[in-house]
Amino acid sequence: MSVDDKWLLIRKYDLWAHLTDEEYEELNIVPNFIEAPKGDYIYFEAFHHNKLYFVKEGYIRIGFIDDSGKEVIKEIIQKGELFGQITLEKGSLNGEFAQAYKTGVSLCAFSIDDFQKLLQKKPSLALKYSKQVGSKFRQVENRLMNLLNKDVKSRLLDFLWQLAQKHADPTANTACIPNYLTHEDIANLIGSSRQTVTTFFNELATNGLITYNRQEICFPDVKKIQNPATVA
């Protein structure tokens, strides 16, 4: 793939859409395009890893190994999203790993230092970036509050609502979204078990609130997912 083609893959996303040629070159992205097969680690036990990554294609699992040796998945990242040192604090990943998931991945990487220099020169980019980071932290906070205050079914409904918001037309009352997460994935992300998630998925399907297959999850009435009180 040529340098121009790689650049176009980045510039179609809003965060990078208004970079000039010179600003793009300052990020030093072209030498840091990464192709990794399924299962490869982009980084592991990343205590001193000072880079940001942008996903062009594929999925990334973000997690860590707990004290018992169990793998804990914090997030599944997909194309168009950033991961790595998103706070721009060096050495702050604290043992986190990032792994290519489901398929091979295509990424670009750039250093915190290069990105910070660009943010200082381009306030509009800094504002967009701060909004993305703020949104990510609100999602993390929401997940924590759900774990503390909601039962598993409510957590699942909230998770499905967030997926619908992320992928579907916000003006439509019906929606179909890519089904890129297994029930095990969802269970890990909402603090439940695979069996429980499967049970509730089947219940939601029986009640006509969702339909799903390996390719997609559809919501005949998104508002019913948005408001758990309407779900029996």
Side-chain angles (χ1 to χ4, degrees):
M1 183 180 295
S2 71
V3 171
D4 288 342
D5 288 339
K6 290 178 177 179
W7 189 2
L8 287 172
L9 284 172
I10 302 301
R11 294 187 98 170
K12 71 178 182 178
Y13 294 98
D14 182 59
L15 187 64
W16 315 110
H18 301 292
L19 291 185
T20 66
D21 293 1
E22 292 77 14
E23 289 164 343
Y24 181 80
E25 289 174 2
E26 287 175 19
L27 282 177
N28 199 31
I29 288 177
V30 173
N32 292 297
F33 274 84
I34 299 169
E35 305 285 339
K38 175 183 175 181
D40 264 22
Y41 287 93
I42 310 305
Y43 55 77
F44 192 88
E45 298 260 335
F47 290 97
H48 303 290
H49 199 76
N50 300 310
K51 288 185 178 180
L52 279 167
Y53 297 85
F54 182 79
V55 183
K56 298 193 284 103
E57 292 293 339
Y59 302 94
I60 297 287
R61 292 200 312 166
I62 305 294
F64 63 93
I65 307 299
D66 68 14
D67 292 339
S68 67
K70 180 182 177 183
E71 187 179 82
V72 179
I73 303 302
K74 300 193 300 181
E75 195 175 6
I76 308 257
I77 303 292
Q78 60 180 314
K79 68 179 179 179
E81 294 186 89
L82 291 159
F83 67 98
Q85 296 282 15
I86 62 168
T87 63
L88 307 183
E89 297 175 279
K90 293 183 178 180
S92 64
L93 290 178
N94 299 323
E96 179 180 287
F97 69 75
Q99 182 185 31
Y101 185 53
K102 288 185 175 290
T103 63
V105 297
S106 180
L107 313 168
C108 61
F110 43 95
S111 74
I112 290 176
D113 290 337
D114 288 340
F115 190 52
Q116 285 181 318
K117 289 175 184 176
L118 186 57
L119 291 179
Q120 289 171 355
K121 292 170 58 177
K122 201 169 183 68
S124 60
L125 178 64
L127 180 60
K128 287 180 181 180
Y129 183 71
S130 66
K131 287 181 177 180
Q132 283 198 10
V133 173
S135 176
K136 184 178 287 288
F137 283 141
R138 283 193 298 274
Q139 291 173 16
V140 172
E141 182 181 22
N142 184 60
R143 280 180 56 195
L144 177 59
M145 294 302 294
N146 284 347
L147 285 171
L148 293 173
N149 299 307
K150 293 184 178 181
D151 59 28
V152 174
K153 187 173 184 179
S154 296
R155 296 202 298 270
L156 175 60
L157 288 168
D158 187 74
F159 182 80
L160 292 173
W161 165 244
Q162 289 183 42
L163 285 181
Q165 289 289 93
K166 188 174 184 178
H167 295 283
D169 180 353
T171 64
N173 193 42
T174 62
C176 287
I177 63 176
N179 187 9
Y180 60 92
L181 298 171
T182 67
H183 289 184
E184 183 73 28
D185 293 331
I186 295 172
N188 287 332
L189 293 169
I190 69 171
S192 182
S193 67
R194 181 189 60 77
Q195 294 89 341
T196 300
V197 168
T198 298
T199 296
F200 282 136
F201 254 81
N202 291 337
E203 181 182 319
L204 293 172
T206 298
N207 292 334
L209 296 172
I210 65 171
T211 61
Y212 68 97
N213 54 40
R214 290 176 181 267
Q215 285 71 46
E216 62 182 8
I217 303 172
C218 293
F219 307 95
D221 189 340
V222 176
K223 290 181 180 179
K224 290 184 178 180
I225 296 295
Q226 180 185 11
N227 184 8
T230 65
V231 181

